[in-house]
Amino acid sequence: MSKERKTLTTNFGAPADNDLNSVTAGVPGPVVLQDIHLIEKLAHFNRERIPERIVHAKGAGAYGYFEVTHDLTGYTKAKFLSGIGKRTEVLVRFSTVGGEKGSADSERDPRGFALKFYTEEGNYDLVMNNTPVFFIRDPLKFPDFIHTQKRHPATNTKDPDMFWDFLSLTPESVHQVTILFSDRGTPATYRNMNGYSGHTFKWYNDKGEYVWVKYHFKTEQSIKNLTRADAVAMAGQDPDHATRDLFQAIKRGEFAAWTVSVQIMRPEESESYRFDPFDITKVWPHADYPLHRLGRMVLNRNPENYFADIEQAAFSPGNFVPGISSSPDKMLQGRLFAYADAHRYRLGANYHLLPVNRAKAVKVDNYQRDGFMRFDSNGAGTPVYYPNSFNGPEPEAEAAEPAFDVSGIVGRHPYTHPNDDFVQTGELYSKVMSDGDRNNLIGNIVAHLGKAQKRIQLRQTALFYKADSLYGSRVAEGLGLDIKEVQSLAHMSHEQRAKATAG
Ligand code: NDP
């Protein structure tokens, strides 16, 4: 640090004469309104907080790089993926979802895993989670779902009835609920968890051929989780433990790394596959769609300033580069709008100009001007309309996603895909989990669901029973429920079950 004496200034650069005593009329005062330095300081302090993210408020992040290790250029023309050994700077922000900015890092919650690649064709964002599936598959349900994970409108506390009422009336959530209540719902640190795109994306090559892909980021630090008891203790001992861990590890030179792979599905396969490939409550089983190695991501640089680098970071699943695009996954379609909209609200219309969000490897040039906090030259005197004959920027037709067919009746279509909402949950419970995983899962569920009303416990336990009868029976036993009642609810249709357990 430089030893040179530095002058304290006002926000506009004038030297401040004193930073300890307000200007007063005599001793002890009153304070006079003409103390501009005091007023500027108090007024700025009042405005230090920007709106908290409605979801993913508590987070931590770091910079690093992504390196291509395997050639998949036959599938995508994205330039940052062209050529083994090619490196692209990245920023990652990890987070919990439901808690406020000061909530504990060890809370049971999915973890956000948001990633920005500063590519030579513009910023590409992947806004992932540490779970491969999600609770719902239609964005119309999202605000309701999040309300149930937040505070009750009257008590202002987290509410087990609200939490489980919604989930038990949303059967497609049972897969994600099972992962969330396994110990993967309380990762030991951000370094010890995987990242999954969950969503299906389109990759297209320079011949206009396309495939569907899902991304998998597997931790090289190995998966490590906290047990329920450890997570609860950690929330008291060090609510910032994962934030601290990431920063300290990078500071020590222990860089965190993930191997990056994709699953690839051909378009013709997507039409007849047994699971709906665009339903984010389902995975593509590895036996059907193995992982293809793509690269490696390393986080090796801490933010210099948390607010500038992490709080102001804004990710959007709609930030694509040529060669990568969206899919008909409805949740993804909703997020394409919602993320950028949230940033315009939280950071303002010019949030893309903030250093952390600004494209670094390419010049941004378009006809958008003005708005709050336009802090660059605002295009100076260059043309503000297109077309023009004053040498303004021109669209590049080659950047277009290849045109594709869609047809259908516009309407609010109920979900009719024949795939079953329970089979993958059953596979996870019976085939993937160890005895220890299952024991902890049942204990974690019983401890939480046990706080909800009995009729809600019954309705939710019926969903676990539908996934795997042993799973449901063990939860029923843990909660002291009548297994006959659970079985009878499990055999009803969704509508009948909702009616039989109505309040
Ligand atoms: P596989 O046996 O090939 O893969 C099982 C996957 O489950 C692995 O990716 C493993 O991740 C992950 N896993 C292990 N323990 C847990 C847990 N407690 N909670 C969540 N995931 C866990 O099986 P399939 O591909 O046929 O999938 C079977 C089930 O595994 C799925 O229904 C799904 O619930 C789950 N799963 C599947 C994934 C996929 O993309 N196919 C991804 C993640 C989970 P790791 O290798 O890192 O330990």
Side-chain angles (χ1 to χ4, degrees), residues 71-150:
D71 181 12
L72 295 182
T73 49
Y75 297 108
T76 174
K77 64 178 185 178
K79 288 203 177 125
F80 80 104
L81 299 178
S82 67
I84 292 173
K86 183 158 188 163
R87 285 190 178 184
T88 300
E89 185 185 355
V90 298
L91 168 73
V92 174
R93 181 176 183 271
F94 302 113
S95 54
T96 50
V97 181
E100 295 88 358
K101 204 164 169 286
S103 59
D105 288 345
S106 64
E107 300 250 342
R108 181 170 307 286
D109 214 353
R111 299 295 186 270
F113 192 130
L115 176 54
K116 190 179 291 298
F117 299 84
Y118 296 97
T119 94
E120 66 267 51
E121 295 178 289
N123 291 352
Y124 172 51
D125 292 355
L126 258 179
V127 192
M128 307 187 289
N129 278 331
N130 72 324
T131 62
V133 293
F134 197 59
F135 299 89
I136 50 174
R137 57 180 161 237
D138 193 306
L140 195 54
K141 296 186 179 183
F142 188 76
D144 305 84
F145 164 63
I146 292 298
H147 286 166
T148 71
Q149 310 293 298
K150 296 267 182 188

Side-chain angles (χ1 to χ4, degrees), residues 132 175 182 184 194 196 216 218 283-286 424 428 432:
H175 195 184
S182 78
R184 288 202 180 198
N194 294 339
Y196 303 92
H216 296 250
K218 292 243 185 180
V283 296
W284 300 354
H286 292 117
Q424 292 195 351
L428 173 65
V432 176

